Amino acid sequence: MIFGVALIVPHSCEDAFLDKEVDITLTEDKIFSDVHYAPGFLFNAYNTLQPGFSRYDNAMLSSGCDEAEHSYSGSMVQMFNNGGVNSTMNPDDVWDHYYAGIRKVNLFLMKLTTTIEETNSIPEAMRPRMRGEAIFLRAMFHFELVKRYGSIPYVDEVLTTETAEDIPQLSFDGVVERIVADCDTAFIYLPEQNTDADMGRAINASALALKSRALLYAASPLNNPGNDVSKWERAAEAAGDLLAMRGPVVSLESRFEYVFQNPYSREVLLATQPQNTNNFERLNFPVSYGGQGLTNPTQEMVDAFDTKYGVPIAQDSRYDPNNPYLDRDDRFYATILYNSVVFKGRPVETYVGGKDGLQSAPTATRTGYYLKKFIDPSVDLDRGTTVRKPWIIFRFAEAYLNYAEAMNEAYGPIDSVYDAVYDLRKRNYILTSRARYPAGMTKGQMRERLKKERMVELAFEEHRFWDLRRWMDAEQVLNRPVHGMRIGFNAADTTYSYQRFEVENRVFDAKFNWYPIPRKEVLKGYVTQNPGWE
Amino acid sequence: MIKHTTTFCLMLAMVITGTARLNGQDDAGRTITGTVRDARGDVLPDVNVSVPDEFTHSFTDAEGQFSIVVTPGKSLYFSKQGYEAVSRDVEENTSTMEIVLDLSEDAGMVEVAYGKRSKVGLTHSISTVHAENLEKTPVPNLSNAITGRATGLTVIKNSGDEPGYDNSSIYVRGIGTFNSFREPLVMVDNVERDFRQMDPMEIESFSVLKDAAATVQYGIRGANGVINVRTKRGFTGRPEINFIAQTGFQAPFRLPDYLGSEEYAELYQQALENDGLPVPEDPRFDPSMYDGTQDSYTFPDVDWYDEFLKSYAPQQQYKLSMRGGTPTIRYFMFMGATLQNGIYEYADVNPQYNTNPKFTRYNLRSNIDVDVTKSLLVSVDLATRVENRHVPNSSAGSIFSTLSQLPPNAMPVLNRDSSIAGTSIYRNNPLGMISRTGYRDNYRRILMANVEATQQLDFLLDGLSLNGMIGLDGTNYYSTGRSQSYAVYQEFITTDTTEYIQYGENSDISINTESFDGSFEYMLTTIGGFSYSGGDENAALAADLKYMQSKYFLNGNNIAYANQGFFGRATYGIDNTYFVEVGFAYNGSENFMQGHRFGFFPAISGAWIMSNESFMSDSKRFNFLKMRGSLGKTGNGRLGVERFPFEEKFYAGGGYIFGSGYGTSDGSYEGRLPNPDIGWEESYNINVGFDMEMKNSMEVAFDLFSHYRVNIITTGTNTIPSIIGQNLPYENNGTVLNSGFETMVKYGAREGNWFYSLQGNLSFAFNRILNMDEAEGLPAYQSREGKSASAIWGLEAVGFFRDEADIESSPLHTFETVQPGDVKYRDQNDDNLIDYQDQVVIGNSIPQLNLGILATAGYKNFDLNMAVTGTFGRTVLLTNNSIWILQNNNKATAIAYEAWQAGRENKAEYPRLTTISNNNNYNISTLWAKRADYLKLVNFELGYSLPDRVMSRLGMSGIRFFLNTYNLASLDMIGRYNLDPEVPDAGVTGYPVMRVFNTGLSLKF
C-alpha cells in the first residue's frame, strides 16, 4: 500500500523518466569542434570515391563496352549491352551517391570558416590543404556526375529542404567551367606531395589531372559539335601543364605492370583507398583456380594489342593467326589471361574441354579469355589471403594520351604528339625504337592510332566506356557483336586451333551517350530529362 | 532427455502418493450426502467438498450429488472455481445437505486492459482464444497455435525454420499502416512480454483487444491492437493436479520434388539449345548414361533431399500444474519441458559433435495470492523460462538452398576415395555443411516477476481500492559454439591417373569454445493507482485511475526504451441495461522530443442490452441481445524507423585508409536530417457491433469497424530534390484507412451421451493508402495512393513470345534481349518499352479474409476437437528455385515439362527453359504471383477419458488418452508445387514447415 503510493508520487509529473540516462548523441557542433572528428569529416568524404572492381553487380564497367563480356549473364551490367538501361533502372545510377558526397565537402567547407576556425579543431596550418582537398573532391564528384548525366545542378552550398529546388541545372560546358574553376582553386591549396602517412590524399597533380580530363571531354565531338579548336587547345594546355610536373613525385613507373602492384606508385595521382581484399580475385580468377572468372576480355580487346614490333597485328606480317599470343606488346601479357599461359604455376586451359574452357562451368569464360590486369596471383582463395587493392582514378600515363590526343586535334600530328606517345610506349618494348609510331601519319591516322593506344594502355580502367561516347564512336562500336576465340585442342599432336566466334550482339542507341536522369528526380520538376529518355 | 523424463516420473510419483494419502478415510465419521446447485437451480458437478484441516474430500458427480464421511462437529467446505465457496457445520444429526453456490464476483467478468469488467455490460470489442484449446495443438510456439482461434486475428507463418525458431507474424484487424511496425502490443499479466514460448497450460485468458474502447488504455502503444494474456491463479479449494506427457513426431509438410539425373540431363540439353549454346561433348550431359548401368561416381543420381533429411523427428512435452489454496493463500504452479529435434541426416557422422538441431525449453511458474489482512491482497508471480537451441553452424537457409540447388548428377555425396565431393561450381556439400562446420548453442534465460498489492479502502469509500504492481523481467541470452571448415574434392580422371582438385580447406574444430553476443537486458514496469467499484444494479459505477511506467534497459550503451503515463476509465451502468464508458490514456515514449512526448488518447463507448428492455422481455428468439459502439483515438509510437528522429544526428566512424599502414583514419559523418516536431501515428477508430445469444443457445457476435490512421511516417524522397545529399527528415504525413468486419457464430448442444459445439470466426479487413507523399504527376496505375499498404507490385505477364515476328511487333522488353518462349509483358503506359514503369499491383501480401472453424464433439468418454483455418485474398510470389528451374545452376522439378517449347507453345505455363539467369523471365510478375488462399486442418484431436467409476476407484479425477495433429492437411492452390501456401520458400531456401503427429496422456488428481 505504501509502496503503491510511493511509486506514484516521485515520477508522476516528471518528464525526466523518458530522458536518456546517457546522452551519447553527437551534434554538429560537437563534431566540428573536435580535433578528431572535424578532420575525420573530410576524410570520410573520400569514401565517396568508388572503386570500379565489382561495382556493377559484381561486374566491371568494361563489361558494358567492347573491352569485355561478363560471364554471368544475369548481372545488371548486361543492361548496357542490350539497351535495357532506363530512367528507373540503371546499374550505374550514382545520382544520389555523388550528391551525398558533395554535401559532405560543402558542409566541411562551411564549417571550416565557422566552427572549425572558432574552436581551432583543425590547426590553422592544416586548413588550407584541407580546403583544397574539399574543393577538389567537390569538382571530382561533379565530374563523375556530369560525364554520366550531361546536364546537372552544380551544388556548392549546404542545401536545405527549402533551398534545394532553386539550384539551376547547368549545361555540360557550364558544369565543366565550374569544375575547372574548382580545380584551379584546389591546385593552389593542395600540396605537391604527400608524406608517407598522408598517402592517398589528393595532391595538386590530382586536381590538374581532373582538369585535364574534364577539358578533354569538353573538347570531344559529343560536347563540341562545332569542333571549336580552342577547346582542344585548352585541353592540350592542361595536359601539357600536367606533363610538365613530371619529376620525383609524379612520373611513369619503369614497367607498366608495376603500376598495379603498388598501392602508392608515383604514377598514381589519385586512387581509392587500398583496402585489403580478395573479392576481385574471387570474382575473376579463372574457374579452375577457384574464382568465378567473370570478366572476359573480348577478341576486339585482344586484337587491339600491337605485336612486340610495335605494329598493329593487321599490318604486321609476323603476326601468326595460328599462334596469336606470341610476340605481342608487353602490356598484352599484363592485361589478358589466355590459353596455355602459366598462371599460379600451371597453364590456364581455356580451350574447349579444358578446365577453364568455354562452358566448363556456368561462369567460365564466354570469350576464351580471362582478366589479368589488377589480379594478384599470390592470392590464395582457399586460405582467404588478401591484398591491398586501390582502384586507380588518375595515373600519369593518361596525361600523355590526353596531351597527344588534344595536340593532334588542335595542331595535327606534330612532333610533340609523336614524342608524347613514344615517352609512354617505350617502357613496353625491349627495343625502345619500336615504341615510336611510324612518321608521316595523317591527323586521321594518328587519331585512330591514339584511340587504340588509349584502349590498350587504359584497358579495364573505366576509360573506354566514356571515351567511345565522347568520340561519338559508341553508336558504331557498341552497336555490333563482340567476339571471342573458340580454341580447339588436338590431343594427338598437342596443337591448338583458333576460331573466332560471335559471343553476343550489342545494342547502342544515340540516347545512350548520356544516362537518363533518374525518373524519381525528374518527377520532382527541378531537372529536365536528357533527350531520348523523356 | 532421459534426465528430465526421470525427473518428471519422480515428481509424478510424489504427487500420486500424496494424493493417495489425501484419500485415507477416518472411521470415526458419518456419511453425509447431498446435492449442490447453482443459483438458477441447476445441479453443479465437480464441486469440491472437503473438511478443512483434514485431508478428507470428495467431488459432486454429474448430478451434483456428493457423499462424504465426516466427524460431527466439523464443517464441510464446498468450493468450485468461479463460485463463492460455502462452509456448512455438520451437526450431530445431519445426514443430508442441500447447498447453493452463488457465482463468485469474478465470474461473469472479463479481462480488459489493466483490469476486469462485467461481461454483460462490456462496451469493448474483444475476442478471446480459449487457452485450453491451445493445449490441443502440439506445437511449442503459441503463435503457430492461435491461428483461426479468434476474430480479428491474422496469423502468417514467417518461415519454417529449425526447432525453436519457427514463428508466425500476428496482425490485429489486418494492417492499418504502411509503416513497417504493424504488429500488436502483447501484454502478459500487464507487462509487455512475449507470449510465444509460454505453455498454454499457464494461460487463463487470451484476448484480442480490437477497438479504441478496448485499447485506449495503452494510448501511444495501442493502435495496432493489443493481445492481452493473463496467467492462471489459485483458488480456494482442494488442489487440482494436472499432468500431461506427450510425445510425437514432426515430418516435413511439403517438400519440392526434384527430377532425377536422366530427366535433368535431358532438360538441361533442351535448355542449352534454347540458349543457343552447344551441348558439351562431355558424356555427363548424356541422359542415357543415367540408366543405372554406369559408374555412379562419374554419373551420380543423388536425391539430395532424401539423402540428407530424415522422414521424421521426435518431439516430446511434459507438464505438470498444481492449483488450489486455502481461503487465505492461493497458488498456481506449473512446470513444463519441451523437446524438439531436427531432421538432418548425417548430423552424427562426425564423432566430435552432433549437429542435429535441438530445441529444449523449460517453463516454470508460481503464482501466489495471499490475503495478508482482510483488506490487503498481495500477489507474487515468479516465472522463468530456459530456452536452448542447438544448431549446426551452417544455417538452415544455406543447407536447404544447397539441397534445392545441387543437380542430381552434379557430384556424388562422397567421392570414390570417401572424400567429400564438390566441384568448382558446387563448393558446398550438405554433408560438410551439416557435419563439418561446427555447431552453435543459443541460450536464453528469462525471468519474469510480478509483485502486486491491493488495499481495500472501504473505510474511506466503500468499493475503493489502491493497487500497486512492480514487474521485473530479465533476459539473458548468449551463444557458444565451435567452428570448423571442410574442403571438397573434385575428381578428374584422365587415362591413367585420378586427380582430386581441392576447394576450400579442412580445419580442425576450433579448440576453444567461441562465445558470441552475450547480453543481459531487463525491464522494470510499475503500475499503480485507484480503483472504484460501487453502486447497485440500478446505477453501477466502476472506475480506475492509474499511473504506469516501464523502462526496458538494453545492453551496453544502448538507450533504454521507456513508456510513462496515466490511464483511466469509468464505466457507468443503469438498470443493467444501459452502459457507457469513457477511457483515456495520457502517455508518452522516449522516442520523441521533450515537450512533444505525451499524447492524450480518449475513447467513449456504450452498450445497450436490448434483451433487458420490457419490449423484448418476452422475446422467443433471444436470451440476450446487446448493441455496442465505440469511438476513440489511439497511437503508435513505434514508427518502424531509426530511433530519436527528432534529433540532429552525427556519427563517429567511416574513416579512410591513408598512408602505408593499415589503420583507418578518424572519420565522422552526418546522419538523417532531423525533424524536431516528429510525432506518433494516430488512429481514429470507430466500431459498432452486437452480441447475442438465441434461445437455442446459438451465440453470435458481430463487429463493423473503420480505423483511420494518420501521421504515418513518410520522407520527402518523392518530392524533395535528392541533390540535397542527405536522407530527408521524417514527416508525419501518411494516411491509411483500414475497414472491415468480424463475426463469430457459436452453437453447441448436449443430447444424452452426445455433445457438440461448433464455432466459426470470420474476419475481413481491407486497407487503402490515402496519402503517402508521392510525386505529383504519377499516372494513376503507378500511384501507391489508393492501393493497399500490403500491395505487391510487379509486371503483368500476357503470355510468351511466339516467334521473332511477335518480338518485332511488341514493345521493347528492356530487361534482357528476348527470344521466342520468353515472357511477354503488358505495356501499361504505352511507351513501347517494358521496364519498371510498367509495374502494377499484382497481389496482396496480407490476407484480407481470415476464417476459423472450431469444432468439438463428444460421445460418452470420447471427445473430438478440430480447428480449421483459412485465409483468403493473399498472394505469394513463387520465386524460389523449385519454380525458377534450371536457370542459374538450379535443378528442375516437373514444372520443366510445362515450360514453353517450340511445338507445344499453346500448352506452355512457364517460359522456355534456360541455363542462364534471365532478367526478363524471372522478373516479379503475375506469372509467379499465385493466390495463396488455403483451408488448413491445423489441429485435430481425438481423446478418450476413462470412466468416472474407474477414476473414483483410483482416487483420481481424470485419465485421458489423446492423439492429436498439427498441420495435417491443406486445401490450396500451392500444393501442386509441393510448397506450403503460407511460406512457399520453406523447404527450398529454408527449413520446412512441419506436420506433427502426437499422442499423450493426461492425468488429473
Side-chain angles (χ1 to χ4, degrees), chain A residues 424-486:
Chain A
L424 175 67
R425 269 165 66 99
K426 65 185 179 193
R427 64 174 166 175
N428 304 316
Y429 296 90
I430 299 165
L431 288 174
T432 51
S433 58
R434 285 175 175 152
R436 186 168 280 281
Y437 282 173
M441 289 197 284
T442 64
K443 182 175 179 177
Q445 285 168 332
M446 176 60 84
R447 181 185 296 138
E448 290 315 306
R449 217 38 221 271
L450 287 175
K451 283 180 178 174
K452 198 176 250 188
E453 198 65 50
R454 221 177 148 88
M455 181 177 182
V456 163
E457 175 71 28
L458 301 175
F460 304 100
E461 294 182 48
E462 288 194 7
H463 278 276
R464 188 160 172 83
F465 187 94
W466 307 112
D467 286 340
L468 287 171
R469 283 165 169 74
R470 66 179 174 90
W471 293 328
M472 295 188 80
D473 288 349
E475 275 177 79
Q476 289 92 51
V477 177
L478 297 184
N479 203 17
R480 63 189 182 206
V482 290
H483 294 81
M485 187 68 89
R486 181 171 288 128

Side-chain angles (χ1 to χ4, degrees), chain A residues 19 37 74 89 96 273 362 388, chain B residues 597 657 661 668 722 836 889 917:
Chain A
D19 288 340
Y37 297 143
M89 199 171 54
D96 293 357
Q273 65 180 333
R388 294 201 101 166
Chain B
R597 277 174 182 161
I657 300 169
S668 64
S722 68
Y836 285 138
N889 309 343
S917 68

Side-chain angles (χ1 to χ4, degrees), chain A residues 351-386:
Chain A
Y351 62 85
V352 176
K355 287 195 184 93
D356 305 301
L358 304 181
Q359 286 179 268
S360 61
T363 59
T365 181
R366 298 185 63 202
T367 61
Y369 302 102
Y370 291 98
L371 185 65
K372 172 83 182 293
K373 201 170 188 175
F374 311 119
I375 287 211
D376 191 327
S378 72
V379 168
D380 184 335
L381 290 179
D382 287 340
R383 291 193 171 71
T385 57
T386 58

Side-chain angles (χ1 to χ4, degrees), chain A residues 112 116-117 120-131:
Chain A
L112 200 57
I116 293 174
E117 194 177 294
N120 203 31
S121 52
I122 298 176
E124 200 173 346
M126 279 170 61
R127 280 181 231 149
R129 175 210 180 132
M130 295 190 84
R131 172 184 303 281

